[in-house]
Amino acid sequence: MTSANDRRARFLQEMGVGPVWALRDSRESAVPAPVIATEPVAQVLAEPIPGAAAWPVDHVSHAALAGTSTVPDAVEVAHMDWNQLRAAVAVCTKCRLCETRTQTVFGAGTQKARWLFVGEGPGYNEDLQGEPFIGAAGGLLDNMLAAMDLKRGVNAYIANIVKCRPIDANGRDRPPLPDEVAACLPYLERQIALIQPDIIVALGKTAAVSLLGLAPDTPISTLRGIVHRHADRPLIVTYHPAYLLRKPEEKGKTWRDLCLALTTYAGTSTPG
């Protein structure tokens, strides 16, 4: 079994942080104990960086789309099964993002995943390929997962707050607006209800404030290092991989966040 120190060394190596020094007193290298949140207590987030990798993704057949409403309300969404949900997302027109998308990005992974990682929204290549977290940011996320003995499609599911790519007037990626988040969030909530993950990791500010119901200007620095709750399960906040590509000096903080997630998961995971 991989030890916490082995995972730390592997993580820091994958993230480009080093050298890794061994502490004389093993107590100093222990995984930090969880802090239970009473008040939300972080920093900027980045939009996903486009790249060029390909990952397994949920696809929807044309037959599955037959008869699907393009504007289901939250109550209808809350009663959908997995295939109905995928089909509804694929043809959704609930907000303006549908006008400029190439395709929706439902998510990637297995419905039986114990870990759920949630980002902001699709970027350029994600919109083209219909898959979340590809390219440089996706590669870094996969390295982070590997350091935790996780892998998308095996024991981790990857999703976003919104299923369509948000762009500004110049065609550049931007964070989703509050009404866009509100329109799309029921889909993610239903994914959570169907997957039943043991733990959720919010990647970046937009994911964190959306899931926790906080003001958009809440700094991410006030949310890190705390065990929050969402949908009756623990939620940990950390930086978005795209932000870490621009600010590699923050990777050490991200490792501490993931250590907190591992400790929390160890105390809450269900057998099997």
Side-chain angles (χ1 to χ4, degrees):
M1 180 177 294
T2 306
S3 70
N5 284 338
D6 289 339
R7 284 197 301 269
R8 177 178 182 276
R10 183 179 176 186
F11 177 86
L12 295 179
Q13 181 180 17
E14 294 284 4
M15 298 272 280
V17 178
V20 179
W21 300 98
L23 298 175
R24 287 190 176 185
D25 187 346
S26 61
R27 291 173 298 177
E28 297 178 38
S29 59
V31 173
V35 178
I36 303 300
T38 52
E39 285 292 326
V41 200
Q43 180 75 54
V44 310
L45 139 105
E47 300 123 80
I49 291 179
W55 305 99
V57 67
D58 290 311
H59 292 294
V60 182
S61 67
H62 292 291
L65 300 180
T68 301
S69 169
T70 58
V71 285
D73 61 27
V75 174
E76 292 175 309
V77 171
H79 289 87
M80 289 179 175
D81 63 25
W82 193 255
N83 289 333
Q84 291 170 334
L85 186 64
R86 289 189 300 172
V89 167
V91 295
C92 181
T93 57
K94 291 176 68 175
C95 76
R96 67 181 67 85
L97 296 184
C98 69
E99 300 170 3
T100 55
R101 74 180 180 222
T102 301
Q103 58 186 309
T104 59
V105 180
F106 184 74
T110 170
Q111 189 182 338
K112 297 180 179 179
R114 297 297 83 209
W115 289 73
L116 174 63
F117 291 79
V118 181
E120 176 179 283
Y124 175 77
N125 276 10
E126 287 85 354
D127 174 69
L128 290 179
Q129 300 185 37
E131 303 171 6
F133 279 91
I134 58 178
L140 180 55
L141 176 58
D142 286 323
N143 288 343
M144 294 161 63
L145 296 179
M148 303 168 72
D149 292 327
L150 301 176
K151 185 177 182 180
R152 68 168 84 197
V154 176
N155 47 15
Y157 195 91
I158 315 296
N160 282 308
I161 291 296
V162 296
K163 309 300 188 186
C164 300
R165 181 193 179 201
I167 57 173
D168 62 19
N170 297 313
R172 294 185 297 240
D173 293 343
R174 62 164 174 80
L177 300 175
D179 64 314
E180 296 162 351
V181 171
C184 211
L185 201 56
Y187 294 131
L188 178 60
E189 297 288 9
R190 186 56 180 161
Q191 284 179 300
I192 294 172
L194 291 169
I195 296 171
Q196 288 290 303
D198 289 323
I199 189 167
I200 301 170
V201 178
L203 300 168
K205 178 179 177 178
T206 297
V209 299
S210 298
L211 289 171
L212 295 174
L214 302 175
D217 60 352
T218 304
I220 196 173
S221 58
T222 64
L223 304 176
R224 291 182 49 255
I226 296 171
V227 181
H228 302 276
R229 303 289 297 182
H230 179 79
D232 198 32
R233 50 188 37 84
L235 181 148
I236 305 298
V237 176
T238 193
Y239 295 117
H240 194 287
Y243 173 73
L244 296 176
L245 292 175
R246 298 200 309 267
K247 294 280 189 177
E249 64 272 17
E250 304 285 26
K251 291 178 179 179
K253 294 180 181 178
T254 300
W255 171 245
R256 291 196 289 273
D257 297 335
L258 298 183
C259 284
L260 175 59
L262 287 166
T263 300
T264 304
Y265 175 77
T268 61
S269 58
T270 56

